[in-house]
């Protein structure tokens, strides 16, 4: 990996856009009958609203198992497919599906993500998932991994994906009509990775992603800070976030995002909204910072977080209710003071986040020239 400078001054904002929201009872505000799956138009509306508001990226949660909230959707479209669907419908926002290292074949994972980066013209990212419950493992006929085995698997899959993305050099595709050559075979390299539980022979079947390598977001509990482009830190208070962000940076993570759940004043006070939601289905603690209150107080919280992290991933309790408040009152307040970098059409996600494009490990170093 190359050294990464910090991103542009300001706080990068990401939005988790799975389902109807982070609260288990969020589906009650969808207008769909119980058990109905989120449709493509609803997904498109959420991502378009996030892009128009100036979010740097949107993430899509996923699991080997159905969502499971009582009365909620009976299933979901796979996260990589959702991201691919909205890729040609957007031009500025980053797209980051969750793909699980424990239940996805590494070669297919790397190929799917490379395809997303091509479809989005360089706005692809990957939230590293590691579902490891007994039911999760049973979906692919694998045993539950020990903590040490899970850490090794996570590291091996991240390393393999980056190796496969490098297996095509940037100029490998030549499309020479005169000779009928589509690619320069000397610039497509075999990969021979032997991990603890799998092996991979390359090269990838997809040319190198436009970004060179997708932006890799790693939840902090996976302890893979040194392999991350962005570490996602979930702690219930500012001191814990600051401490964990410090250790992530010391381990080599270029960027750190805090995880923040939000319930905002809207048609009713935030506390009343949360009480009504919890009466329908209690929202268990997740270990993340949770803001319940006014959008102005959230702006103050984000300003405080900007002193210790590079970005924040927001988890609205109910997308249909909280996202309009975010787009109308929170993000504009940060934009006015220049505290939030605004993505530009044509930029890659690495451009937006201030991350350099990684060098290809197989490409020959440029020859030195004499002055």
């Amino acid at each position: 990996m190359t050294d990464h400078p910090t991103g542009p001054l300001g706080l990068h904002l990401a939005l988790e856009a799975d389902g109807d929201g982070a609260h288990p009872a969020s589906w009650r505000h969808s207008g769909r009958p119980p058990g109905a799956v989120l449709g493509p138009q609803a997904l498109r509306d959420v991502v378009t609203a996030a892009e128009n508001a100036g979010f740097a990226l949107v993430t899509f949660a996923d699991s080997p198992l159905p969502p499971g909230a009582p009365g909620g959707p009976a299933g979901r479209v796979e996260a990589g497919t959702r991201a691919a669907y909205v890729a040609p419908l957007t031009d500025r926002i980053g797209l980051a599906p969750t793909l699980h290292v424990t239940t996805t074949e590494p070669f297919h994972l790397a190929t799917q993500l490379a395809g997303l980066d091509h479809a989005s013209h360089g706005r692809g990212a990957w939230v590293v998932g590691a579902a490891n419950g007994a039911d999760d493992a049973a979906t692919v006929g694998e045993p539950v991994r020990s903590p040490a085995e899970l850490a090794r698997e996570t590291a091996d899959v991240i390393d393999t994906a980056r190796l496969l993305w490098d297996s095509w050099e940037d100029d490998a595709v030549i499309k020479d009509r005169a000779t009928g050559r589509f690619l320069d075979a000397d610039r497509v390299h075999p990969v021979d990775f032997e991990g603890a539980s799998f092996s991979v022979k390359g090269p990838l079947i997809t040319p190198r992603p436009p970004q060179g390598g997708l932006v890799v977001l790693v939840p902090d509990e996976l302890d893979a800070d040194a392999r991350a482009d962005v570490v996602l830190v979930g702690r219930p208070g500012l001191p814990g976030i600051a401490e964990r962000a410090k250790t992530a940076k010391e381990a080599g993570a270029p960027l750190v995002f805090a995880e923040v759940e939000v319930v905002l004043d809207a048609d009713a006070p935030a506390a009343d909204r949360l009480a009504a939601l919890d009466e329908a289905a209690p929202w268990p603690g997740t270990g993340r910072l949770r803001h319940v209150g006014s959008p102005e107080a959230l702006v103050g919280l984000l300003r405080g977080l900007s002193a210790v992290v590079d970005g924040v991933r927001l988890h609205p309790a109910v997308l249909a209710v909280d996202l309009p408040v975010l787009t109308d009152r929170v993000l504009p307040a940060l934009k006015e003071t220049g505290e939030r970098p605004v993505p530009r059409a044509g930029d890659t996600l690495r451009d937006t986040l201030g991350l350099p494009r990684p060098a290809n490990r197989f490409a020959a170093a440029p020859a030195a020239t004499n002055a």
Side-chain angles (χ1 to χ4, degrees):
M1 292 179 61
T2 57
D3 292 332
H4 298 286
T6 57
L9 294 177
L11 194 70
H12 301 291
L13 294 180
L15 176 75
E16 171 53 47
D18 182 53
D20 296 300
H23 197 286
S26 60
W27 66 271
R28 293 174 175 269
H29 295 263
S30 68
R32 299 189 305 276
V37 177
L38 182 74
Q41 186 60 53
L43 173 63
R44 179 176 183 170
D45 289 346
V46 167
V47 176
T48 300
E51 178 171 72
N52 291 339
F55 278 95
L57 72 153
V58 61
T59 64
F60 306 92
D62 210 346
S63 167
L65 303 170
R76 53 153 74 93
V77 177
E78 185 266 341
T81 303
R82 281 178 276 157
Y85 167 71
V86 296
L89 308 177
T90 54
D91 64 4
R92 301 183 300 282
I93 195 165
L95 306 170
T98 297
L99 299 183
H100 290 272
V101 301
T102 47
T103 57
T104 311
E105 202 280 332
F107 188 91
H108 295 161
L109 180 151
T111 303
Q112 182 179 22
L113 290 169
L116 172 63
D117 207 43
H118 282 286
S120 63
H121 301 288
R123 292 179 288 115
W126 169 30
V127 179
V128 178
N132 193 41
D135 291 339
D136 299 311
T139 63
V140 290
E142 291 287 336
V144 173
R145 293 159 175 82
S146 69
E149 290 170 335
L150 185 61
R152 176 64 186 272
E153 185 88 350
T154 301
D156 283 351
V157 176
I158 294 173
D159 290 348
T160 301
R162 286 198 167 111
L163 185 61
L164 287 166
W165 294 333
D166 275 353
S167 63
W168 291 58
E169 295 185 37
D170 290 318
D171 53 357
V173 177
I174 55 177
K175 299 182 182 178
D176 188 342
R177 291 181 178 272
T179 62
R181 296 170 66 214
F182 175 74
L183 58 85
D184 182 345
D186 291 335
R187 291 186 171 88
V188 180
H189 303 276
V191 168
D192 189 3
F193 185 91
E194 193 75 33
S197 61
F198 65 87
S199 61
V200 170
K201 302 286 185 181
L204 203 63
I205 58 175
T206 305
R208 195 175 193 226
Q211 294 183 100
L214 282 78
V215 176
V216 178
L217 298 93
V218 180
D220 67 330
E221 64 268 20
L222 294 183
D223 292 326
D225 298 356
R227 287 176 166 82
D229 293 304
V230 180
V231 172
L232 301 170
V233 173
R235 294 291 187 277
L238 187 59
I241 291 172
E243 182 180 356
R244 184 63 182 87
K246 182 175 181 291
T247 63
K249 292 279 188 155
E250 290 172 347
L255 300 176
V256 175
F257 282 23
E259 303 269 43
V260 180
E261 298 167 346
V262 295
V263 187
L264 297 170
D265 295 340
D267 53 342
D272 293 345
R273 289 184 54 223
L274 180 58
L277 288 165
D278 280 345
E279 186 176 351
W283 192 4
T286 61
R288 299 170 180 149
L289 180 60
R290 184 175 293 176
H291 170 81
V292 181
S294 71
E296 292 75 21
L298 177 60
V299 170
L301 173 63
L302 294 175
R303 286 174 174 156
L305 285 167
S306 68
V308 297
V309 295
D310 306 288
V312 170
R313 180 166 69 152
L314 296 171
H315 299 254
V318 179
L319 281 165
V321 179
D322 294 296
L323 181 55
V325 181
L326 290 170
T327 60
D328 293 344
R329 299 175 63 181
V330 175
L331 273 73
L334 296 174
K335 181 180 178 182
E336 287 176 3
T337 55
E339 295 169 286
R340 175 176 59 84
V342 179
R344 300 173 301 181
D347 281 355
T348 68
L349 181 56
R350 285 185 173 275
D351 293 333
T352 297
L353 298 180
L355 296 169
R357 191 174 187 273
N360 189 303
R361 72 193 72 196
F362 294 107
T369 56
N370 295 323

